[in-house]
Amino acid sequence: MVASCQNLSELMGDSSIKPSNNPVIAENVRSGKLARVGEAQHPKILATYGGEYSNPKLERMVAGIVGKLVTVSDNPSQVYQITILNSPNVNAFALPGGYLYITRGLLALANDTAELAAVIAHEMGHVTANHGILRQQKEAEVELASRVVSDVLSDKDAGRRALVRGKLRLAQFSRNQELQADAIGIAAIGEAGFDPYAAADFQKTMAAYMEFRNKSGDGDTSLDFLATHPSTPQRIELAIGHARKFGSRGQGERNRESYLAGIDGMLFGDTAEEGYVRGQVYSHAALGITFTFPKGFDIDNRAEAVLGSREADNAAIRFDGAEVSSNQSLAAYIASGWVEGLDPTSIRPITVNGMNAAMARATADQWDFDITVVRAGSSVYRILTAMPRGSSQLGALAQSVRGSFRRLSAAEKKALKPLTLDIVKAVPGETDRSIAARMRGVSRPLELFRVLNGLAAGERVETGRSYKIVTD
């Protein structure tokens, strides 16, 4: 080391040695038409996925994995910029020019460095194989779609969101391209020293998570890895076949403990901007409101609305906000044409926990609806409750939700905290049930615990092994 320092000192005395006028940094290497496509879409990605999730510990871990993969890449001159997105959605994707994205939702689902490396290497495979060229070919279609969206939709914000989602769908590749990226990615992680079987293991976890989501009635995977990377049994078998070229299981790096240490304390689930679901209760500190879904409802907190569904009686609830002039009565707003099948004679003003409100009934297709609109301060909120046509339980169900809608106290606002992933070690005598009982703020904790930790059917927890739990 001393000798190296001496040699460096000698070089520094040579006047012919000076800094490059064109240093190798991302902005200089990343050039050309493909790079401009990625650069143009980067702000839209951030807007759609809640911006960047800043966590130095995580960033260092991810950067270390990318560094190992670049060393074995067929194109080592390719520069990558990887961004961790502040979204609970499980997703990872690549844009032309070396832009790579991973959501914290996907980081929560992976269980070791090899599984994360498999995801990143897959996306790098798309970049290496120039699959992003297809995005260029569809750019004209996207621009046309943007004009249609802005011209047709009266809700400009919804139009912009729809446009962004349309652009993101260009990240989807054909089945052959996905399989090609699988092969490239598995070869890369094997050569970089990771366990190549991790790719198949993560695909199994994705399949289990998809099943968990489907049971919750959440079929919207438009912003998920699950939509563009379906984990079919055939695909898993192909992944195992690629891994076998490197030998049997257990020969590569997994680093489960260091990976779990990296995600320990990471934000899990909803952000403060979207509000929090705790059990059956939805609360939003900034808006200062809360309400309760009746027992048995599975709740999906989306950016555009909070949705609830109950399989037992096919009941559904939607909660969102609306822009209503302070000069317009809530009864007049209900009658303004946004409710299909409205019974005008059912409209009547009411109060909900001291707040001005209005309610009405509507029938459309095979459904009956109870519509409640509440004015809380300067904001107006809508609660739509639906049940199969002719149900005698609609009124009671709607009243239950409506009656629970109220303002939060200052103390309640202060007490609202996000959920986080905590890493715990199983002590002697513990089971999956006993550890899952420590979970907070999630529905079906035992099932989620097993999915988050990649536990196969019949697999038990091991004493001394680390596991992920969700807590507040």
Side-chain angles (χ1 to χ4, degrees):
M1 185 178 295
V2 173
S4 297
C5 291
Q6 290 172 339
N7 290 336
L8 180 59
S9 298
E10 293 170 4
L11 286 174
M12 291 301 289
D14 187 343
S15 60
S16 66
I17 305 297
K18 51 188 175 182
S20 170
N21 293 322
N22 187 31
V24 181
I25 59 175
E27 287 73 13
N28 292 340
V29 177
R30 187 187 293 120
S31 61
K33 194 171 182 181
L34 283 178
R36 288 195 295 273
V37 172
E39 183 180 10
Q41 300 241 17
H42 181 69
K44 300 180 179 71
I45 299 294
L46 294 179
T48 302
Y49 285 91
E52 187 172 352
Y53 182 66
S54 180
N55 184 318
K57 180 173 64 171
L58 269 180
E59 291 162 6
R60 286 193 297 270
M61 180 182 70
V62 173
I65 292 173
V66 174
K68 287 185 177 181
L69 294 173
V70 169
T71 61
V72 299
S73 170
D74 290 336
N75 183 15
S77 65
Q78 172 67 59
V79 174
Y80 294 95
Q81 175 178 311
I82 188 158
T83 302
I84 300 174
L85 297 167
N86 189 18
S87 170
N89 294 85
V90 177
N91 212 348
F93 47 91
L95 293 182
Y99 289 84
L100 300 177
Y101 302 88
I102 295 178
T103 62
R104 57 176 171 79
L106 187 141
L107 293 174
L109 202 58
N111 279 288
D112 53 48
T113 56
E115 290 187 0
L116 180 56
V119 173
I120 295 174
H122 174 97
E123 299 306 327
M124 290 172 68
H126 281 307
V127 176
T128 301
N130 286 324
H131 291 161
I133 291 176
L134 291 180
R135 298 174 64 90
Q136 277 185 275
Q137 298 171 347
K138 294 187 178 181
E139 197 66 22
E141 299 174 28
V142 173
E143 292 305 320
L144 174 61
S146 70
R147 290 196 297 273
V148 172
V149 167
S150 61
D151 292 345
V152 173
L153 296 181
S154 57
D155 183 344
K156 300 302 181 184
D157 288 335
R160 282 191 287 270
R161 288 194 297 270
L163 171 61
V164 170
R165 290 190 181 208
K167 280 182 174 288
L168 292 184
R169 290 194 182 98
L170 297 181
Q172 298 181 12
F173 301 108
S174 71
R175 174 177 170 79
N176 286 340
Q177 288 173 327
E178 291 292 358
L179 295 178
Q180 183 182 6
D182 281 349
I184 295 172
I186 293 169
I189 64 173
E191 291 169 10
F194 295 102
D195 184 347
Y197 290 88
D201 291 342
F202 188 70
Q203 288 192 24
K204 292 175 185 176
T205 298
M206 284 200 303
Y209 182 68
M210 184 62 138
E211 183 179 355
F212 175 85
R213 289 259 307 251
N214 286 340
K215 286 182 180 178
S216 298
D218 180 11
D220 180 15
T221 58
S222 60
L223 297 178
D224 273 4
F225 196 73
L226 305 168
T228 56
H229 303 74
S231 295
T232 63
Q234 294 82 0
R235 188 174 185 185
I236 293 172
E237 281 302 313
L238 285 172
I240 292 173
H242 292 305
R244 286 196 183 107
K245 297 174 184 176
F246 291 87
S248 58
R249 278 183 175 271
Q251 297 187 28
E253 172 191 320
R254 296 298 292 233
N255 269 355
R256 175 183 171 87
E257 292 299 320
S258 65
Y259 178 80
L260 294 182
I263 63 173
D264 189 18
M266 183 178 69
L267 183 66
F268 183 87
D270 305 325
T271 63
E273 289 75 17
E274 295 171 334
Y276 301 123
V277 175
R278 298 290 183 268
Q280 297 302 111
V281 179
Y282 172 80
S283 303
H284 198 299
L287 300 179
I289 55 93
T290 184
F291 69 95
T292 303
F293 283 86
K295 185 178 179 180
F297 272 81
D298 288 314
I299 306 166
D300 181 14
N301 185 12
R302 303 184 185 181
E304 66 274 15
V306 185
L307 308 175
S309 61
R310 188 165 64 187
E311 187 176 358
D313 54 4
N314 290 323
I317 296 168
R318 176 189 173 100
F319 170 80
D320 63 13
E323 292 185 8
V324 181
S325 169
S326 59
N327 297 324
Q328 185 179 30
S329 72
L330 296 179
Y333 170 66
I334 291 179
S336 63
W338 60 275
V339 180
E340 182 181 352
L342 175 68
D343 175 5
T345 65
S346 68
I347 302 174
R348 61 188 180 93
I350 59 172
T351 59
V352 173
N353 290 319
M355 295 170 283
N356 290 328
M359 61 175 291
R361 287 292 184 94
T363 299
D365 296 326
Q366 300 301 310
W367 300 91
D368 287 336
F369 296 88
D370 181 288
I371 298 100
T372 301
V373 181
V374 185
R375 181 171 269 131
S378 60
S379 301
V380 172
Y381 302 99
R382 304 184 296 194
I383 304 172
L384 280 67
T385 307
M387 293 196 75
R389 194 167 184 172
S391 173
S392 61
Q393 303 302 312
L394 177 61
L397 179 63
Q399 178 55 39
S400 172
V401 182
R402 181 168 50 238
S404 71
F405 185 86
R406 62 178 179 84
R407 291 187 178 95
L408 289 168
S409 68
E412 287 174 319
K413 292 179 188 178
K414 189 176 180 179
L416 282 174
K417 304 292 183 184
L419 297 177
T420 59
L421 270 185
D422 279 6
I423 306 304
V424 299
K425 285 188 181 291
V427 299
E430 277 197 306
T431 66
D432 55 352
R433 288 185 179 277
S434 65
I435 301 177
R438 297 154 66 181
M439 305 255 278
R440 296 290 180 267
V442 297
S443 59
R444 295 163 37 226
L446 176 59
E447 290 180 58
L448 181 59
F449 171 79
R450 295 190 64 85
V451 170
L452 281 179
N453 290 284
L455 294 174
E459 184 178 354
R460 299 180 179 181
V461 300
E462 300 176 19
T463 299
R465 189 175 174 87
S466 295
Y467 294 95
K468 295 175 278 188
I469 64 170
V470 179
T471 183
D472 55 4

